[in-house]
Amino acid sequence: MDRLRAMELFLSISQTRNFSETARRFGISATGVSRMITEIEEELKVKLLLRSTRQVALTESGQEYARQLEGILWSINELQANITAISSAPQGLLRVHSRVMFGLGVLPALLAEFRKRYPDIHIELTLTEAAVDLRRNQFDIDFRISPPVEAGVKRRMLFQSERYLAAAPAYLARKPPLTGPESILEHDCLAYELPGNQYCWLFKEEERLTEIAFKPRHVSNNGIALLELARLGEGLVLLDDYTVHNDLRQGTLVRVLPQFRISNKGFDEGMYATILDTPIIPAKIRLFLDFVAEHVAGPELRFSAHGKAAGLSVTPAA
């Protein structure tokens, strides 16, 4: 039995639930497919499929077998691609997912410069405010603002950050002074949309933690929208330090209550590049991660990288 081909056939059946469709995909007969699946079951001494004239269903063992096969076959394909790529220039499609503010404020300039160095690597960039399943959604890299917790992935921290509470000078001039966490209740707050419509900010001073629940003036699922509302004088906004750095420097926003660390979830914050945990990291992924880290890793680089137009000082590879 060709064990690798049999595994590929079983995984296809687990996805299509159809022997005939799998036979068409692989250019063999449905009888041949059925025979190879039977051989797998006999070798494993376990029933993987429940077959009837109308449908195919996976047993509990079949579901687990399919789940593990997905990762194994993906790794085999990546291994073959990497071995082939060793003797050739880096190339191929790189699918990148990112949170919106990092994706808009940092990545476009880096993508433009990366293309000059590696013209045969083509990047597809998707921006949303949620973490993605790398394997299921077929992304190579996911840039997240919190560390990943799921199994089967590994992370690379690009930088640590904290959140700043800020507002426009004109807004602060017409509102009561902010003297502590409780004083935000006298202010208009701009909140990031969270499940359950429960809005609160956490204030940490040394080891003391204070949680303040509030009713927001405006709510959005997009940090760019919240930043623009703050610039327009609509209230207090809580955003990552590197995203408001230029506004604070230019005076369009003012940081308030700087003696506190403030968050809406937790204090383990930063930017994490998340990839699948595979024996070999594909060259296109490794090169792009190294390139991004070169330009954003560390406190000073993360501030200077945000909002920078294309035109970084990058020496082309030989």
Side-chain angles (χ1 to χ4, degrees), residues 48-72:
L48 299 175
L49 297 175
L50 299 174
R51 318 180 201 187
S52 70
T53 55
R54 293 188 175 183
Q55 64 180 1
V56 176
L58 273 67
T59 65
E60 183 177 353
S61 297
Q63 292 173 3
E64 177 62 18
Y65 190 57
R67 186 187 68 79
Q68 295 199 37
L69 273 186
E70 188 176 9
I72 291 169

mmCIF file of all heavy atoms in Angstrom, residues 48-72:
data_model
loop_
_atom_site.group_PDB
_atom_site.id
_atom_site.type_symbol
_atom_site.label_atom_id
_atom_site.label_comp_id
_atom_site.label_asym_id
_atom_site.label_seq_id
_atom_site.Cartn_x
_atom_site.Cartn_y
_atom_site.Cartn_z
ATOM 1 N N LEU A 48 -12.673 3.829 10.626
ATOM 2 C CA LEU A 48 -12.525 5.272 10.424
ATOM 3 C C LEU A 48 -13.761 5.907 9.807
ATOM 4 O O LEU A 48 -14.049 7.078 10.063
ATOM 5 C CB LEU A 48 -11.318 5.555 9.519
ATOM 6 C CG LEU A 48 -9.949 5.083 10.045
ATOM 7 C CD1 LEU A 48 -8.881 5.325 8.981
ATOM 8 C CD2 LEU A 48 -9.593 5.788 11.338
ATOM 9 N N LEU A 49 -14.477 5.136 8.980
ATOM 10 C CA LEU A 49 -15.630 5.666 8.254
ATOM 11 C C LEU A 49 -16.854 4.800 8.480
ATOM 12 O O LEU A 49 -16.753 3.577 8.612
ATOM 13 C CB LEU A 49 -15.340 5.732 6.748
ATOM 14 C CG LEU A 49 -14.211 6.644 6.273
ATOM 15 C CD1 LEU A 49 -14.016 6.477 4.770
ATOM 16 C CD2 LEU A 49 -14.498 8.096 6.616
ATOM 17 N N LEU A 50 -18.003 5.467 8.514
ATOM 18 C CA LEU A 50 -19.299 4.786 8.493
ATOM 19 C C LEU A 50 -19.902 5.044 7.125
ATOM 20 O O LEU A 50 -20.199 6.193 6.776
ATOM 21 C CB LEU A 50 -20.202 5.316 9.608
ATOM 22 C CG LEU A 50 -19.684 5.125 11.045
ATOM 23 C CD1 LEU A 50 -20.597 5.822 12.033
ATOM 24 C CD2 LEU A 50 -19.549 3.654 11.375
ATOM 25 N N ARG A 51 -20.092 3.976 6.334
ATOM 26 C CA ARG A 51 -20.530 4.129 4.949
ATOM 27 C C ARG A 51 -21.953 3.625 4.785
ATOM 28 O O ARG A 51 -22.346 2.622 5.374
ATOM 29 C CB ARG A 51 -19.605 3.369 4.010
ATOM 30 C CG ARG A 51 -18.134 3.514 4.337
ATOM 31 C CD ARG A 51 -17.286 2.738 3.377
ATOM 32 N NE ARG A 51 -15.964 2.466 3.948
ATOM 33 C CZ ARG A 51 -14.969 1.915 3.297
ATOM 34 N NH1 ARG A 51 -15.123 1.560 2.041
ATOM 35 N NH2 ARG A 51 -13.804 1.706 3.890
ATOM 36 N N SER A 52 -22.722 4.364 3.981
ATOM 37 C CA SER A 52 -24.053 3.919 3.586
ATOM 38 C C SER A 52 -24.238 4.276 2.122
ATOM 39 O O SER A 52 -23.357 4.878 1.497
ATOM 40 C CB SER A 52 -25.129 4.588 4.454
ATOM 41 O OG SER A 52 -25.226 5.970 4.144
ATOM 42 N N THR A 53 -25.375 3.924 1.566
ATOM 43 C CA THR A 53 -25.614 4.221 0.143
ATOM 44 C C THR A 53 -25.764 5.713 -0.098
ATOM 45 O O THR A 53 -25.592 6.174 -1.221
ATOM 46 C CB THR A 53 -26.887 3.507 -0.333
ATOM 47 O OG1 THR A 53 -27.980 3.884 0.518
ATOM 48 C CG2 THR A 53 -26.701 1.996 -0.287
ATOM 49 N N ARG A 54 -26.077 6.480 0.952
ATOM 50 C CA ARG A 54 -26.349 7.909 0.765
ATOM 51 C C ARG A 54 -25.255 8.820 1.296
ATOM 52 O O ARG A 54 -25.087 9.938 0.821
ATOM 53 C CB ARG A 54 -27.674 8.285 1.438
ATOM 54 C CG ARG A 54 -28.874 7.666 0.774
ATOM 55 C CD ARG A 54 -30.151 8.234 1.353
ATOM 56 N NE ARG A 54 -31.324 7.749 0.668
ATOM 57 C CZ ARG A 54 -32.570 8.143 0.942
ATOM 58 N NH1 ARG A 54 -32.780 9.018 1.919
ATOM 59 N NH2 ARG A 54 -33.587 7.658 0.271
ATOM 60 N N GLN A 55 -24.518 8.398 2.279
ATOM 61 C CA GLN A 55 -23.556 9.313 2.879
ATOM 62 C C GLN A 55 -22.376 8.576 3.498
ATOM 63 O O GLN A 55 -22.421 7.364 3.687
ATOM 64 C CB GLN A 55 -24.231 10.190 3.943
ATOM 65 C CG GLN A 55 -24.752 9.389 5.133
ATOM 66 C CD GLN A 55 -25.409 10.280 6.168
ATOM 67 O OE1 GLN A 55 -25.508 11.485 6.008
ATOM 68 N NE2 GLN A 55 -25.857 9.676 7.267
ATOM 69 N N VAL A 56 -21.341 9.370 3.760
ATOM 70 C CA VAL A 56 -20.147 8.878 4.434
ATOM 71 C C VAL A 56 -19.951 9.730 5.687
ATOM 72 O O VAL A 56 -19.990 10.958 5.618
ATOM 73 C CB VAL A 56 -18.907 8.981 3.523
ATOM 74 C CG1 VAL A 56 -17.658 8.546 4.285
ATOM 75 C CG2 VAL A 56 -19.078 8.133 2.278
ATOM 76 N N ALA A 57 -19.779 9.096 6.821
ATOM 77 C CA ALA A 57 -19.557 9.813 8.081
ATOM 78 C C ALA A 57 -18.285 9.299 8.731
ATOM 79 O O ALA A 57 -17.885 8.148 8.540
ATOM 80 C CB ALA A 57 -20.748 9.618 9.018
ATOM 81 N N LEU A 58 -17.608 10.180 9.492
ATOM 82 C CA LEU A 58 -16.392 9.802 10.192
ATOM 83 C C LEU A 58 -16.728 9.311 11.592
ATOM 84 O O LEU A 58 -17.570 9.909 12.284
ATOM 85 C CB LEU A 58 -15.434 10.987 10.297
ATOM 86 C CG LEU A 58 -14.474 11.224 9.127
ATOM 87 C CD1 LEU A 58 -15.250 11.640 7.879
ATOM 88 C CD2 LEU A 58 -13.450 12.284 9.492
ATOM 89 N N THR A 59 -16.081 8.222 11.986
ATOM 90 C CA THR A 59 -16.176 7.806 13.376
ATOM 91 C C THR A 59 -15.355 8.763 14.235
ATOM 92 O O THR A 59 -14.649 9.642 13.717
ATOM 93 C CB THR A 59 -15.631 6.379 13.558
ATOM 94 O OG1 THR A 59 -14.222 6.389 13.257
ATOM 95 C CG2 THR A 59 -16.342 5.397 12.631
ATOM 96 N N GLU A 60 -15.414 8.597 15.547
ATOM 97 C CA GLU A 60 -14.601 9.438 16.429
ATOM 98 C C GLU A 60 -13.117 9.249 16.129
ATOM 99 O O GLU A 60 -12.343 10.211 16.085
ATOM 100 C CB GLU A 60 -14.893 9.105 17.880
ATOM 101 C CG GLU A 60 -14.151 9.992 18.876
ATOM 102 C CD GLU A 60 -14.510 9.692 20.318
ATOM 103 O OE1 GLU A 60 -15.439 8.891 20.551
ATOM 104 O OE2 GLU A 60 -13.842 10.248 21.215
ATOM 105 N N SER A 61 -12.727 7.992 15.878
ATOM 106 C CA SER A 61 -11.328 7.719 15.512
ATOM 107 C C SER A 61 -10.995 8.360 14.172
ATOM 108 O O SER A 61 -9.885 8.877 13.973
ATOM 109 C CB SER A 61 -11.085 6.206 15.447
ATOM 110 O OG SER A 61 -11.267 5.604 16.709
ATOM 111 N N GLY A 62 -11.950 8.313 13.240
ATOM 112 C CA GLY A 62 -11.728 8.922 11.930
ATOM 113 C C GLY A 62 -11.555 10.427 12.016
ATOM 114 O O GLY A 62 -10.729 11.014 11.306
ATOM 115 N N GLN A 63 -12.314 11.077 12.890
ATOM 116 C CA GLN A 63 -12.190 12.522 13.061
ATOM 117 C C GLN A 63 -10.811 12.888 13.595
ATOM 118 O O GLN A 63 -10.176 13.835 13.135
ATOM 119 C CB GLN A 63 -13.287 13.025 14.004
ATOM 120 C CG GLN A 63 -14.689 12.923 13.430
ATOM 121 C CD GLN A 63 -15.757 13.270 14.449
ATOM 122 O OE1 GLN A 63 -15.464 13.647 15.595
ATOM 123 N NE2 GLN A 63 -17.009 13.122 14.067
ATOM 124 N N GLU A 64 -10.332 12.125 14.581
ATOM 125 C CA GLU A 64 -9.017 12.406 15.156
ATOM 126 C C GLU A 64 -7.916 12.121 14.132
ATOM 127 O O GLU A 64 -6.930 12.872 14.032
ATOM 128 C CB GLU A 64 -8.805 11.564 16.409
ATOM 129 C CG GLU A 64 -7.438 11.724 17.062
ATOM 130 C CD GLU A 64 -7.175 13.142 17.552
ATOM 131 O OE1 GLU A 64 -8.139 13.926 17.701
ATOM 132 O OE2 GLU A 64 -5.991 13.460 17.792
ATOM 133 N N TYR A 65 -8.064 11.045 13.374
ATOM 134 C CA TYR A 65 -7.086 10.696 12.346
ATOM 135 C C TYR A 65 -7.009 11.806 11.297
ATOM 136 O O TYR A 65 -5.915 12.225 10.893
ATOM 137 C CB TYR A 65 -7.490 9.369 11.717
ATOM 138 C CG TYR A 65 -6.445 8.758 10.796
ATOM 139 C CD1 TYR A 65 -5.165 8.477 11.252
ATOM 140 C CD2 TYR A 65 -6.765 8.446 9.475
ATOM 141 C CE1 TYR A 65 -4.220 7.892 10.421
ATOM 142 C CE2 TYR A 65 -5.823 7.862 8.641
ATOM 143 C CZ TYR A 65 -4.553 7.594 9.107
ATOM 144 O OH TYR A 65 -3.614 7.033 8.281
ATOM 145 N N ALA A 66 -8.164 12.319 10.876
ATOM 146 C CA ALA A 66 -8.196 13.389 9.880
ATOM 147 C C ALA A 66 -7.560 14.666 10.429
ATOM 148 O O ALA A 66 -6.828 15.367 9.722
ATOM 149 C CB ALA A 66 -9.634 13.661 9.440
ATOM 150 N N ARG A 67 -7.832 14.960 11.701
ATOM 151 C CA ARG A 67 -7.282 16.181 12.294
ATOM 152 C C ARG A 67 -5.765 16.143 12.304
ATOM 153 O O ARG A 67 -5.097 17.119 11.949
ATOM 154 C CB ARG A 67 -7.816 16.349 13.719
ATOM 155 C CG ARG A 67 -7.420 17.671 14.379
ATOM 156 C CD ARG A 67 -7.831 17.702 15.836
ATOM 157 N NE ARG A 67 -7.067 16.756 16.627
ATOM 158 C CZ ARG A 67 -5.823 16.975 17.065
ATOM 159 N NH1 ARG A 67 -5.192 18.109 16.745
ATOM 160 N NH2 ARG A 67 -5.199 16.071 17.791
ATOM 161 N N GLN A 68 -5.205 15.006 12.689
ATOM 162 C CA GLN A 68 -3.751 14.914 12.741
ATOM 163 C C GLN A 68 -3.128 14.817 11.349
ATOM 164 O O GLN A 68 -2.044 15.349 11.108
ATOM 165 C CB GLN A 68 -3.341 13.716 13.598
ATOM 166 C CG GLN A 68 -3.750 13.865 15.060
ATOM 167 C CD GLN A 68 -2.979 12.936 15.987
ATOM 168 O OE1 GLN A 68 -1.797 12.697 15.781
ATOM 169 N NE2 GLN A 68 -3.642 12.443 17.013
ATOM 170 N N LEU A 69 -3.821 14.159 10.439
ATOM 171 C CA LEU A 69 -3.306 14.057 9.071
ATOM 172 C C LEU A 69 -3.171 15.425 8.415
ATOM 173 O O LEU A 69 -2.229 15.661 7.650
ATOM 174 C CB LEU A 69 -4.247 13.196 8.217
ATOM 175 C CG LEU A 69 -4.032 11.688 8.205
ATOM 176 C CD1 LEU A 69 -4.967 11.046 7.204
ATOM 177 C CD2 LEU A 69 -2.589 11.342 7.862
ATOM 178 N N GLU A 70 -4.116 16.323 8.714
ATOM 179 C CA GLU A 70 -4.076 17.650 8.099
ATOM 180 C C GLU A 70 -2.746 18.337 8.374
ATOM 181 O O GLU A 70 -2.116 18.895 7.477
ATOM 182 C CB GLU A 70 -5.237 18.498 8.618
ATOM 183 C CG GLU A 70 -5.392 19.824 7.906
ATOM 184 C CD GLU A 70 -6.618 20.591 8.374
ATOM 185 O OE1 GLU A 70 -7.247 20.173 9.375
ATOM 186 O OE2 GLU A 70 -6.950 21.608 7.744
ATOM 187 N N GLY A 71 -2.297 18.282 9.627
ATOM 188 C CA GLY A 71 -1.022 18.900 9.973
ATOM 189 C C GLY A 71 0.161 18.153 9.388
ATOM 190 O O GLY A 71 1.135 18.763 8.919
ATOM 191 N N ILE A 72 0.095 16.814 9.397
ATOM 192 C CA ILE A 72 1.208 16.014 8.883
ATOM 193 C C ILE A 72 1.408 16.253 7.392
ATOM 194 O O ILE A 72 2.536 16.487 6.925
ATOM 195 C CB ILE A 72 0.950 14.521 9.164
ATOM 196 C CG1 ILE A 72 1.040 14.236 10.664
ATOM 197 C CG2 ILE A 72 1.939 13.641 8.392
ATOM 198 C CD1 ILE A 72 0.544 12.871 11.062
#
